[in-house]
Amino acid sequence: MTRHFLTLRDISAEEINRLLTLAIDLKAKQKKGVSQRFLDGKSVGLIFEKPSNRTRVSFEVGVTQLGGHPITIQGSEIKMGERETVADVARTMSRYVDAVAIRAFSHETVAEFAAFSSVPVINGLTDLYHPCQALADVLTIKEKLGALSGLRICYIGDGNNVCRSLILAGSLLGFTVIVSCPHGYRPEAELPYEYVEDPVVAAKSADVIYTDVWTSMGQEEESAIRKRDFAAYTVTSTIMANAKPTVLFMHCLPAHRGEEVSEEVFESPSSVVFDQAENRLHAQKAVLVNLIGKQ
Ligand code: CP
Ligand code: NVA
């Protein structure tokens, strides 16, 4: 059976720990200039139905650093589900490339693609999940704080794709995610998280304060109403002061200063947002090596 990386529901605690160990090793060797051509001669398709900076660049650079060949395809070029079915794109593309990463509006698109693909499919963000982001996030926390088990990670903001994937990472790695948002924006109740409506209370004793945009890609029409609903949820210095003195501020980026985070917090010494962004590269290289690397 073809293995995919669509959500963190697909992997075990042992597997995520192995990916983290591999990512740390790949990162250290890359910094030393050691050649690591695990993808020699392999091609990886990268399909983007939505804009991207980090995901696209880190996948293109990551595949290249591993000796492979990335092919980026904009959603508007292939028009999956319109010009031809998702199933037909998947069955065609998997005759050419060795793996495909997809950023899509609907998680269903990526799931359907994977069902028809004979090569591994990686989720590069959907409306429901962003597993590559969560893997880079936990790599960053591990580097900064040492261990993940037992930590309190306070997510202040929309119960979205990034939030869901962080919660799933927590359930695999033994940290608690405390979500703080207006009631109507909570992640599904079946997910394992704590809910605290008041962000100042939620931040108490947190090891990490995490936020993301209030309006995700594809929700632009709701922007005004979301700005109103989330007005009390900006991560400010007051909120940060309620957490542990060693607290990290995290954000998957892109950020909107003055909305989900203040300029002061974003630029503060606690902020590790660009380390997170860098770790997208190392974490995704580990996923690629794990799925299609020559051992
Ligand atoms: N964090 C993240 O996925 O960034 P991009 O949307 O720029 O890829
Ligand atoms: N929740 C955001 C994340 C962007 C990386 C979105 O889906 O637009």
Side-chain angles (χ1 to χ4, degrees), residues 15-34 36 38 65 135-148 173 275 278-287 289:
E15 283 169 319
I16 195 168
N17 276 305
R18 267 211 307 274
L19 283 174
L20 288 173
T21 303
L22 179 57
I24 290 165
D25 185 56
L26 290 165
K27 180 174 181 176
K29 289 190 176 135
Q30 187 65 35
K31 302 261 178 208
K32 282 190 198 145
V34 179
Q36 303 169 94
F38 291 108
Q65 285 179 353
L135 194 61
D137 296 340
V138 293
L139 173 59
T140 310
I141 298 168
K142 193 176 165 75
E143 285 175 343
K144 302 286 176 191
L145 300 180
L148 290 151
L173 294 163
D275 296 308
E278 176 184 339
N279 279 338
R280 293 292 304 279
L281 171 66
H282 310 298
Q284 287 155 201
K285 282 169 72 176
V287 172
V289 171

mmCIF file of all heavy atoms in Angstrom, residues 15-34 36 38 65 135-148 173 275 278-287 289:
data_model
loop_
_atom_site.group_PDB
_atom_site.id
_atom_site.type_symbol
_atom_site.label_atom_id
_atom_site.label_comp_id
_atom_site.label_asym_id
_atom_site.label_seq_id
_atom_site.Cartn_x
_atom_site.Cartn_y
_atom_site.Cartn_z
ATOM 1 N N GLU A 15 6.758 6.993 14.989
ATOM 2 C CA GLU A 15 7.108 7.526 13.662
ATOM 3 C C GLU A 15 7.404 9.022 13.705
ATOM 4 O O GLU A 15 8.334 9.502 13.059
ATOM 5 C CB GLU A 15 5.973 7.250 12.669
ATOM 6 C CG GLU A 15 5.956 5.820 12.188
ATOM 7 C CD GLU A 15 4.687 5.483 11.408
ATOM 8 O OE1 GLU A 15 3.585 5.909 11.808
ATOM 9 O OE2 GLU A 15 4.817 4.785 10.400
ATOM 10 N N ILE A 16 6.626 9.785 14.481
ATOM 11 C CA ILE A 16 6.891 11.240 14.524
ATOM 12 C C ILE A 16 8.226 11.487 15.221
ATOM 13 O O ILE A 16 9.001 12.358 14.808
ATOM 14 C CB ILE A 16 5.714 12.048 15.144
ATOM 15 C CG1 ILE A 16 5.886 13.540 14.816
ATOM 16 C CG2 ILE A 16 5.559 11.856 16.625
ATOM 17 C CD1 ILE A 16 4.671 14.408 15.111
ATOM 18 N N ASN A 17 8.532 10.694 16.224
ATOM 19 C CA ASN A 17 9.837 10.854 16.890
ATOM 20 C C ASN A 17 10.975 10.498 15.935
ATOM 21 O O ASN A 17 12.013 11.166 15.927
ATOM 22 C CB ASN A 17 9.896 10.009 18.167
ATOM 23 C CG ASN A 17 9.254 10.762 19.334
ATOM 24 O OD1 ASN A 17 9.638 11.895 19.646
ATOM 25 N ND2 ASN A 17 8.267 10.153 19.970
ATOM 26 N N ARG A 18 10.759 9.469 15.107
ATOM 27 C CA ARG A 18 11.792 9.098 14.113
ATOM 28 C C ARG A 18 11.972 10.220 13.090
ATOM 29 O O ARG A 18 13.086 10.541 12.692
ATOM 30 C CB ARG A 18 11.395 7.804 13.401
ATOM 31 C CG ARG A 18 11.971 6.557 14.046
ATOM 32 C CD ARG A 18 12.236 5.454 13.003
ATOM 33 N NE ARG A 18 11.071 5.152 12.173
ATOM 34 C CZ ARG A 18 10.128 4.276 12.526
ATOM 35 N NH1 ARG A 18 10.222 3.610 13.658
ATOM 36 N NH2 ARG A 18 9.109 4.043 11.735
ATOM 37 N N LEU A 19 10.850 10.850 12.679
ATOM 38 C CA LEU A 19 10.939 11.961 11.719
ATOM 39 C C LEU A 19 11.710 13.129 12.322
ATOM 40 O O LEU A 19 12.514 13.785 11.649
ATOM 41 C CB LEU A 19 9.536 12.433 11.307
ATOM 42 C CG LEU A 19 8.787 11.571 10.296
ATOM 43 C CD1 LEU A 19 7.355 12.096 10.111
ATOM 44 C CD2 LEU A 19 9.512 11.552 8.938
ATOM 45 N N LEU A 20 11.463 13.406 13.598
ATOM 46 C CA LEU A 20 12.159 14.514 14.260
ATOM 47 C C LEU A 20 13.660 14.241 14.354
ATOM 48 O O LEU A 20 14.478 15.130 14.080
ATOM 49 C CB LEU A 20 11.577 14.754 15.661
ATOM 50 C CG LEU A 20 10.173 15.376 15.685
ATOM 51 C CD1 LEU A 20 9.615 15.408 17.102
ATOM 52 C CD2 LEU A 20 10.195 16.785 15.099
ATOM 53 N N THR A 21 14.008 13.007 14.700
ATOM 54 C CA THR A 21 15.431 12.639 14.797
ATOM 55 C C THR A 21 16.091 12.785 13.419
ATOM 56 O O THR A 21 17.198 13.324 13.294
ATOM 57 C CB THR A 21 15.564 11.180 15.307
ATOM 58 O OG1 THR A 21 14.877 11.111 16.557
ATOM 59 C CG2 THR A 21 17.009 10.771 15.488
ATOM 60 N N LEU A 22 15.386 12.333 12.392
ATOM 61 C CA LEU A 22 15.914 12.431 11.029
ATOM 62 C C LEU A 22 16.062 13.893 10.605
ATOM 63 O O LEU A 22 17.070 14.292 10.021
ATOM 64 C CB LEU A 22 14.980 11.668 10.070
ATOM 65 C CG LEU A 22 15.320 11.662 8.585
ATOM 66 C CD1 LEU A 22 16.724 11.115 8.337
ATOM 67 C CD2 LEU A 22 14.286 10.818 7.807
ATOM 68 N N ALA A 23 15.065 14.718 10.936
ATOM 69 C CA ALA A 23 15.118 16.141 10.573
ATOM 70 C C ALA A 23 16.315 16.827 11.243
ATOM 71 O O ALA A 23 17.020 17.627 10.607
ATOM 72 C CB ALA A 23 13.817 16.832 10.980
ATOM 73 N N ILE A 24 16.562 16.496 12.502
ATOM 74 C CA ILE A 24 17.693 17.095 13.235
ATOM 75 C C ILE A 24 19.016 16.683 12.576
ATOM 76 O O ILE A 24 19.920 17.499 12.382
ATOM 77 C CB ILE A 24 17.637 16.667 14.732
ATOM 78 C CG1 ILE A 24 16.453 17.367 15.411
ATOM 79 C CG2 ILE A 24 18.945 16.981 15.460
ATOM 80 C CD1 ILE A 24 16.055 16.789 16.772
ATOM 81 N N ASP A 25 19.095 15.436 12.165
ATOM 82 C CA ASP A 25 20.311 14.932 11.517
ATOM 83 C C ASP A 25 20.515 15.585 10.142
ATOM 84 O O ASP A 25 21.607 16.051 9.815
ATOM 85 C CB ASP A 25 20.182 13.400 11.377
ATOM 86 C CG ASP A 25 21.443 12.777 10.825
ATOM 87 O OD1 ASP A 25 22.504 12.977 11.421
ATOM 88 O OD2 ASP A 25 21.356 12.098 9.773
ATOM 89 N N LEU A 26 19.436 15.661 9.359
ATOM 90 C CA LEU A 26 19.525 16.287 8.026
ATOM 91 C C LEU A 26 19.925 17.756 8.151
ATOM 92 O O LEU A 26 20.734 18.268 7.375
ATOM 93 C CB LEU A 26 18.177 16.188 7.299
ATOM 94 C CG LEU A 26 17.737 14.798 6.831
ATOM 95 C CD1 LEU A 26 16.255 14.797 6.466
ATOM 96 C CD2 LEU A 26 18.581 14.338 5.630
ATOM 97 N N LYS A 27 19.369 18.431 9.152
ATOM 98 C CA LYS A 27 19.662 19.857 9.362
ATOM 99 C C LYS A 27 21.138 20.046 9.717
ATOM 100 O O LYS A 27 21.826 20.897 9.141
ATOM 101 C CB LYS A 27 18.763 20.399 10.478
ATOM 102 C CG LYS A 27 18.964 21.873 10.788
ATOM 103 C CD LYS A 27 17.922 22.355 11.799
ATOM 104 C CE LYS A 27 18.096 23.844 12.107
ATOM 105 N NZ LYS A 27 17.047 24.361 12.999
ATOM 106 N N ALA A 28 21.627 19.227 10.658
ATOM 107 C CA ALA A 28 23.027 19.359 11.094
ATOM 108 C C ALA A 28 23.973 19.105 9.921
ATOM 109 O O ALA A 28 24.933 19.853 9.698
ATOM 110 C CB ALA A 28 23.304 18.382 12.228
ATOM 111 N N LYS A 29 23.671 18.078 9.130
ATOM 112 C CA LYS A 29 24.557 17.739 8.001
ATOM 113 C C LYS A 29 24.492 18.814 6.908
ATOM 114 O O LYS A 29 25.501 19.144 6.292
ATOM 115 C CB LYS A 29 24.212 16.361 7.446
ATOM 116 C CG LYS A 29 24.618 15.270 8.425
ATOM 117 C CD LYS A 29 24.530 13.889 7.823
ATOM 118 C CE LYS A 29 25.037 12.860 8.822
ATOM 119 N NZ LYS A 29 24.174 11.692 8.909
ATOM 120 N N GLN A 30 23.290 19.348 6.668
ATOM 121 C CA GLN A 30 23.155 20.423 5.675
ATOM 122 C C GLN A 30 24.003 21.625 6.080
ATOM 123 O O GLN A 30 24.681 22.239 5.260
ATOM 124 C CB GLN A 30 21.677 20.838 5.547
ATOM 125 C CG GLN A 30 21.405 21.838 4.432
ATOM 126 C CD GLN A 30 21.676 21.267 3.047
ATOM 127 O OE1 GLN A 30 21.455 20.087 2.808
ATOM 128 N NE2 GLN A 30 22.174 22.093 2.141
ATOM 129 N N LYS A 31 23.988 21.951 7.380
ATOM 130 C CA LYS A 31 24.755 23.109 7.885
ATOM 131 C C LYS A 31 26.258 22.875 7.716
ATOM 132 O O LYS A 31 27.022 23.812 7.559
ATOM 133 C CB LYS A 31 24.450 23.363 9.368
ATOM 134 C CG LYS A 31 22.995 23.621 9.671
ATOM 135 C CD LYS A 31 22.670 25.096 9.808
ATOM 136 C CE LYS A 31 21.184 25.272 10.052
ATOM 137 N NZ LYS A 31 20.647 26.538 9.581
ATOM 138 N N LYS A 32 26.664 21.602 7.779
ATOM 139 C CA LYS A 32 28.101 21.272 7.623
ATOM 140 C C LYS A 32 28.483 21.118 6.159
ATOM 141 O O LYS A 32 29.628 20.839 5.838
ATOM 142 C CB LYS A 32 28.396 19.945 8.339
ATOM 143 C CG LYS A 32 28.506 20.065 9.838
ATOM 144 C CD LYS A 32 29.057 18.733 10.379
ATOM 145 C CE LYS A 32 28.783 18.604 11.846
ATOM 146 N NZ LYS A 32 28.511 17.212 12.233
ATOM 147 N N GLY A 33 27.495 21.197 5.280
ATOM 148 C CA GLY A 33 27.777 21.065 3.851
ATOM 149 C C GLY A 33 27.932 19.622 3.391
ATOM 150 O O GLY A 33 28.497 19.356 2.328
ATOM 151 N N VAL A 34 27.426 18.668 4.179
ATOM 152 C CA VAL A 34 27.506 17.252 3.793
ATOM 153 C C VAL A 34 26.425 16.970 2.740
ATOM 154 O O VAL A 34 25.260 17.297 2.933
ATOM 155 C CB VAL A 34 27.273 16.333 5.022
ATOM 156 C CG1 VAL A 34 27.321 14.863 4.631
ATOM 157 C CG2 VAL A 34 28.262 16.647 6.133
ATOM 158 N N GLN A 36 23.653 15.071 0.765
ATOM 159 C CA GLN A 36 22.687 14.045 1.208
ATOM 160 C C GLN A 36 21.699 13.766 0.087
ATOM 161 O O GLN A 36 20.577 14.246 0.100
ATOM 162 C CB GLN A 36 21.941 14.553 2.444
ATOM 163 C CG GLN A 36 22.853 14.934 3.586
ATOM 164 C CD GLN A 36 22.124 15.671 4.670
ATOM 165 O OE1 GLN A 36 21.676 15.075 5.630
ATOM 166 N NE2 GLN A 36 21.958 16.965 4.503
ATOM 167 N N PHE A 38 19.555 11.651 -1.018
ATOM 168 C CA PHE A 38 18.606 10.548 -0.825
ATOM 169 C C PHE A 38 17.544 10.491 -1.929
ATOM 170 O O PHE A 38 16.845 9.505 -2.087
ATOM 171 C CB PHE A 38 17.896 10.691 0.525
ATOM 172 C CG PHE A 38 18.776 10.469 1.721
ATOM 173 C CD1 PHE A 38 19.165 11.524 2.524
ATOM 174 C CD2 PHE A 38 19.207 9.189 2.039
ATOM 175 C CE1 PHE A 38 19.974 11.313 3.633
ATOM 176 C CE2 PHE A 38 20.009 8.971 3.153
ATOM 177 C CZ PHE A 38 20.396 10.043 3.951
ATOM 178 N N GLN A 65 18.082 20.026 -2.524
ATOM 179 C CA GLN A 65 19.194 19.673 -1.631
ATOM 180 C C GLN A 65 19.355 18.158 -1.517
ATOM 181 O O GLN A 65 20.459 17.662 -1.296
ATOM 182 C CB GLN A 65 18.963 20.262 -0.237
ATOM 183 C CG GLN A 65 19.205 21.772 -0.181
ATOM 184 C CD GLN A 65 18.948 22.365 1.203
ATOM 185 O OE1 GLN A 65 18.466 21.684 2.110
ATOM 186 N NE2 GLN A 65 19.263 23.634 1.361
ATOM 187 N N LEU A 135 4.864 19.630 12.123
ATOM 188 C CA LEU A 135 6.135 18.901 12.288
ATOM 189 C C LEU A 135 7.294 19.893 12.482
ATOM 190 O O LEU A 135 8.144 19.705 13.357
ATOM 191 C CB LEU A 135 6.376 18.007 11.062
ATOM 192 C CG LEU A 135 7.449 16.949 11.197
ATOM 193 C CD1 LEU A 135 7.133 15.957 12.316
ATOM 194 C CD2 LEU A 135 7.633 16.206 9.876
ATOM 195 N N ALA A 136 7.300 20.971 11.694
ATOM 196 C CA ALA A 136 8.331 22.007 11.850
ATOM 197 C C ALA A 136 8.198 22.702 13.205
ATOM 198 O O ALA A 136 9.195 23.052 13.842
ATOM 199 C CB ALA A 136 8.209 23.032 10.717
ATOM 200 N N ASP A 137 6.967 22.879 13.661
ATOM 201 C CA ASP A 137 6.735 23.536 14.953
ATOM 202 C C ASP A 137 7.285 22.703 16.102
ATOM 203 O O ASP A 137 7.951 23.235 16.988
ATOM 204 C CB ASP A 137 5.227 23.769 15.166
ATOM 205 C CG ASP A 137 4.635 24.731 14.147
ATOM 206 O OD1 ASP A 137 5.411 25.496 13.534
ATOM 207 O OD2 ASP A 137 3.407 24.707 13.956
ATOM 208 N N VAL A 138 7.001 21.416 16.092
ATOM 209 C CA VAL A 138 7.488 20.591 17.208
ATOM 210 C C VAL A 138 9.010 20.427 17.145
ATOM 211 O O VAL A 138 9.668 20.360 18.180
ATOM 212 C CB VAL A 138 6.753 19.230 17.330
ATOM 213 C CG1 VAL A 138 5.304 19.446 17.719
ATOM 214 C CG2 VAL A 138 6.853 18.392 16.082
ATOM 215 N N LEU A 139 9.554 20.436 15.933
ATOM 216 C CA LEU A 139 11.020 20.418 15.805
ATOM 217 C C LEU A 139 11.607 21.675 16.464
ATOM 218 O O LEU A 139 12.587 21.613 17.214
ATOM 219 C CB LEU A 139 11.396 20.345 14.315
ATOM 220 C CG LEU A 139 12.872 20.472 13.949
ATOM 221 C CD1 LEU A 139 13.713 19.386 14.614
ATOM 222 C CD2 LEU A 139 13.051 20.394 12.416
ATOM 223 N N THR A 140 10.978 22.813 16.223
ATOM 224 C CA THR A 140 11.447 24.089 16.791
ATOM 225 C C THR A 140 11.346 24.083 18.312
ATOM 226 O O THR A 140 12.281 24.498 19.012
ATOM 227 C CB THR A 140 10.609 25.256 16.206
ATOM 228 O OG1 THR A 140 10.590 25.132 14.786
ATOM 229 C CG2 THR A 140 11.188 26.610 16.600
ATOM 230 N N ILE A 141 10.225 23.590 18.823
ATOM 231 C CA ILE A 141 10.039 23.562 20.288
ATOM 232 C C ILE A 141 11.073 22.628 20.921
ATOM 233 O O ILE A 141 11.678 22.944 21.939
ATOM 234 C CB ILE A 141 8.595 23.130 20.644
ATOM 235 C CG1 ILE A 141 7.584 24.130 20.080
ATOM 236 C CG2 ILE A 141 8.426 23.010 22.163
ATOM 237 C CD1 ILE A 141 6.129 23.650 20.116
ATOM 238 N N LYS A 142 11.297 21.497 20.279
ATOM 239 C CA LYS A 142 12.292 20.529 20.796
ATOM 240 C C LYS A 142 13.683 21.176 20.835
ATOM 241 O O LYS A 142 14.413 21.035 21.811
ATOM 242 C CB LYS A 142 12.288 19.291 19.878
ATOM 243 C CG LYS A 142 13.007 18.068 20.415
ATOM 244 C CD LYS A 142 12.810 16.920 19.423
ATOM 245 C CE LYS A 142 13.745 15.766 19.643
ATOM 246 N NZ LYS A 142 13.416 14.941 20.782
ATOM 247 N N GLU A 143 14.027 21.883 19.782
ATOM 248 C CA GLU A 143 15.340 22.547 19.746
ATOM 249 C C GLU A 143 15.466 23.602 20.846
ATOM 250 O O GLU A 143 16.511 23.768 21.448
ATOM 251 C CB GLU A 143 15.537 23.256 18.400
ATOM 252 C CG GLU A 143 15.834 22.333 17.253
ATOM 253 C CD GLU A 143 15.893 23.058 15.913
ATOM 254 O OE1 GLU A 143 15.391 24.210 15.807
ATOM 255 O OE2 GLU A 143 16.434 22.482 14.974
ATOM 256 N N LYS A 144 14.377 24.342 21.064
ATOM 257 C CA LYS A 144 14.446 25.481 22.003
ATOM 258 C C LYS A 144 14.277 25.051 23.456
ATOM 259 O O LYS A 144 14.887 25.636 24.340
ATOM 260 C CB LYS A 144 13.347 26.515 21.678
ATOM 261 C CG LYS A 144 13.391 27.067 20.271
ATOM 262 C CD LYS A 144 14.525 28.047 20.104
ATOM 263 C CE LYS A 144 14.615 28.503 18.659
ATOM 264 N NZ LYS A 144 15.846 29.256 18.387
ATOM 265 N N LEU A 145 13.374 24.077 23.700
ATOM 266 C CA LEU A 145 13.030 23.746 25.086
ATOM 267 C C LEU A 145 13.491 22.347 25.503
ATOM 268 O O LEU A 145 13.320 21.966 26.659
ATOM 269 C CB LEU A 145 11.513 23.883 25.306
ATOM 270 C CG LEU A 145 10.915 25.281 25.043
ATOM 271 C CD1 LEU A 145 9.403 25.277 25.287
ATOM 272 C CD2 LEU A 145 11.568 26.358 25.888
ATOM 273 N N GLY A 146 14.047 21.596 24.592
ATOM 274 C CA GLY A 146 14.604 20.290 24.943
ATOM 275 C C GLY A 146 13.602 19.155 24.789
ATOM 276 O O GLY A 146 13.718 18.359 23.891
ATOM 277 N N ALA A 147 12.603 19.126 25.643
ATOM 278 C CA ALA A 147 11.632 18.025 25.582
ATOM 279 C C ALA A 147 10.250 18.579 25.240
ATOM 280 O O ALA A 147 9.962 19.746 25.461
ATOM 281 C CB ALA A 147 11.590 17.312 26.914
ATOM 282 N N LEU A 148 9.407 17.724 24.701
ATOM 283 C CA LEU A 148 8.047 18.146 24.330
ATOM 284 C C LEU A 148 7.015 17.647 25.334
ATOM 285 O O LEU A 148 6.016 18.318 25.598
ATOM 286 C CB LEU A 148 7.711 17.596 22.940
ATOM 287 C CG LEU A 148 8.502 18.274 21.818
ATOM 288 C CD1 LEU A 148 8.717 17.321 20.657
ATOM 289 C CD2 LEU A 148 7.778 19.526 21.357
ATOM 290 N N LEU A 173 2.854 13.502 21.037
ATOM 291 C CA LEU A 173 4.125 13.780 21.719
ATOM 292 C C LEU A 173 3.961 14.104 23.199
ATOM 293 O O LEU A 173 4.936 14.415 23.887
ATOM 294 C CB LEU A 173 4.850 14.926 20.997
ATOM 295 C CG LEU A 173 5.309 14.554 19.576
ATOM 296 C CD1 LEU A 173 5.627 15.791 18.747
ATOM 297 C CD2 LEU A 173 6.535 13.643 19.641
ATOM 298 N N ASP A 275 12.719 30.786 12.988
ATOM 299 C CA ASP A 275 13.271 29.439 13.207
ATOM 300 C C ASP A 275 12.239 28.404 12.770
ATOM 301 O O ASP A 275 12.576 27.384 12.162
ATOM 302 C CB ASP A 275 13.626 29.233 14.686
ATOM 303 C CG ASP A 275 14.734 30.176 15.129
ATOM 304 O OD1 ASP A 275 15.773 30.204 14.459
ATOM 305 O OD2 ASP A 275 14.536 30.913 16.107
ATOM 306 N N GLU A 278 12.299 28.303 9.013
ATOM 307 C CA GLU A 278 13.453 27.531 8.515
ATOM 308 C C GLU A 278 13.199 26.035 8.679
ATOM 309 O O GLU A 278 13.507 25.242 7.783
ATOM 310 C CB GLU A 278 14.740 27.901 9.274
ATOM 311 C CG GLU A 278 15.873 27.010 8.798
ATOM 312 C CD GLU A 278 17.205 27.165 9.510
ATOM 313 O OE1 GLU A 278 17.456 28.221 10.129
ATOM 314 O OE2 GLU A 278 17.991 26.201 9.425
ATOM 315 N N ASN A 279 12.621 25.675 9.806
ATOM 316 C CA ASN A 279 12.443 24.242 10.081
ATOM 317 C C ASN A 279 11.440 23.563 9.172
ATOM 318 O O ASN A 279 11.409 22.332 9.091
ATOM 319 C CB ASN A 279 12.107 24.034 11.562
ATOM 320 C CG ASN A 279 13.366 24.070 12.414
ATOM 321 O OD1 ASN A 279 14.466 23.847 11.909
ATOM 322 N ND2 ASN A 279 13.221 24.350 13.698
ATOM 323 N N ARG A 280 10.634 24.333 8.437
ATOM 324 C CA ARG A 280 9.785 23.719 7.414
ATOM 325 C C ARG A 280 10.663 22.923 6.453
ATOM 326 O O ARG A 280 10.330 21.818 6.046
ATOM 327 C CB ARG A 280 9.005 24.805 6.633
ATOM 328 C CG ARG A 280 7.973 25.555 7.454
ATOM 329 C CD ARG A 280 6.817 24.656 7.861
ATOM 330 N NE ARG A 280 6.198 24.033 6.705
ATOM 331 C CZ ARG A 280 5.300 24.643 5.914
ATOM 332 N NH1 ARG A 280 4.879 25.855 6.190
ATOM 333 N NH2 ARG A 280 4.781 24.020 4.873
ATOM 334 N N LEU A 281 11.801 23.516 6.090
ATOM 335 C CA LEU A 281 12.730 22.880 5.156
ATOM 336 C C LEU A 281 13.218 21.530 5.703
ATOM 337 O O LEU A 281 13.119 20.499 5.030
ATOM 338 C CB LEU A 281 13.921 23.830 4.925
ATOM 339 C CG LEU A 281 15.115 23.299 4.144
ATOM 340 C CD1 LEU A 281 14.728 23.013 2.706
ATOM 341 C CD2 LEU A 281 16.256 24.310 4.181
ATOM 342 N N HIS A 282 13.730 21.553 6.926
ATOM 343 C CA HIS A 282 14.338 20.335 7.482
ATOM 344 C C HIS A 282 13.285 19.259 7.778
ATOM 345 O O HIS A 282 13.516 18.077 7.554
ATOM 346 C CB HIS A 282 15.143 20.706 8.725
ATOM 347 C CG HIS A 282 16.080 21.851 8.488
ATOM 348 N ND1 HIS A 282 17.109 21.781 7.572
ATOM 349 C CD2 HIS A 282 16.114 23.126 8.992
ATOM 350 C CE1 HIS A 282 17.755 22.946 7.539
ATOM 351 N NE2 HIS A 282 17.164 23.782 8.395
ATOM 352 N N ALA A 283 12.129 19.701 8.287
ATOM 353 C CA ALA A 283 11.067 18.742 8.621
ATOM 354 C C ALA A 283 10.545 18.066 7.351
ATOM 355 O O ALA A 283 10.349 16.841 7.303
ATOM 356 C CB ALA A 283 9.933 19.460 9.347
ATOM 357 N N GLN A 284 10.322 18.841 6.296
ATOM 358 C CA GLN A 284 9.793 18.266 5.054
ATOM 359 C C GLN A 284 10.819 17.366 4.361
ATOM 360 O O GLN A 284 10.447 16.369 3.726
ATOM 361 C CB GLN A 284 9.334 19.384 4.112
ATOM 362 C CG GLN A 284 8.050 20.015 4.617
ATOM 363 C CD GLN A 284 7.836 21.430 4.148
ATOM 364 O OE1 GLN A 284 7.075 22.155 4.761
ATOM 365 N NE2 GLN A 284 8.500 21.857 3.089
ATOM 366 N N LYS A 285 12.104 17.710 4.510
ATOM 367 C CA LYS A 285 13.130 16.824 3.948
ATOM 368 C C LYS A 285 13.047 15.458 4.638
ATOM 369 O O LYS A 285 13.187 14.414 3.993
ATOM 370 C CB LYS A 285 14.525 17.439 4.112
ATOM 371 C CG LYS A 285 14.809 18.521 3.078
ATOM 372 C CD LYS A 285 16.049 19.309 3.397
ATOM 373 C CE LYS A 285 17.335 18.559 3.177
ATOM 374 N NZ LYS A 285 18.520 19.440 3.420
ATOM 375 N N ALA A 286 12.800 15.470 5.945
ATOM 376 C CA ALA A 286 12.670 14.199 6.677
ATOM 377 C C ALA A 286 11.467 13.409 6.158
ATOM 378 O O ALA A 286 11.543 12.196 5.959
ATOM 379 C CB ALA A 286 12.542 14.465 8.174
ATOM 380 N N VAL A 287 10.359 14.098 5.912
ATOM 381 C CA VAL A 287 9.160 13.416 5.389
ATOM 382 C C VAL A 287 9.466 12.804 4.020
ATOM 383 O O VAL A 287 9.134 11.644 3.750
ATOM 384 C CB VAL A 287 7.969 14.406 5.292
ATOM 385 C CG1 VAL A 287 6.784 13.773 4.572
ATOM 386 C CG2 VAL A 287 7.556 14.887 6.687
ATOM 387 N N VAL A 289 12.441 11.961 2.703
ATOM 388 C CA VAL A 289 13.403 10.855 2.816
ATOM 389 C C VAL A 289 12.679 9.619 3.341
ATOM 390 O O VAL A 289 12.857 8.507 2.836
ATOM 391 C CB VAL A 289 14.595 11.243 3.726
ATOM 392 C CG1 VAL A 289 15.466 10.023 4.024
ATOM 393 C CG2 VAL A 289 15.435 12.344 3.079
#
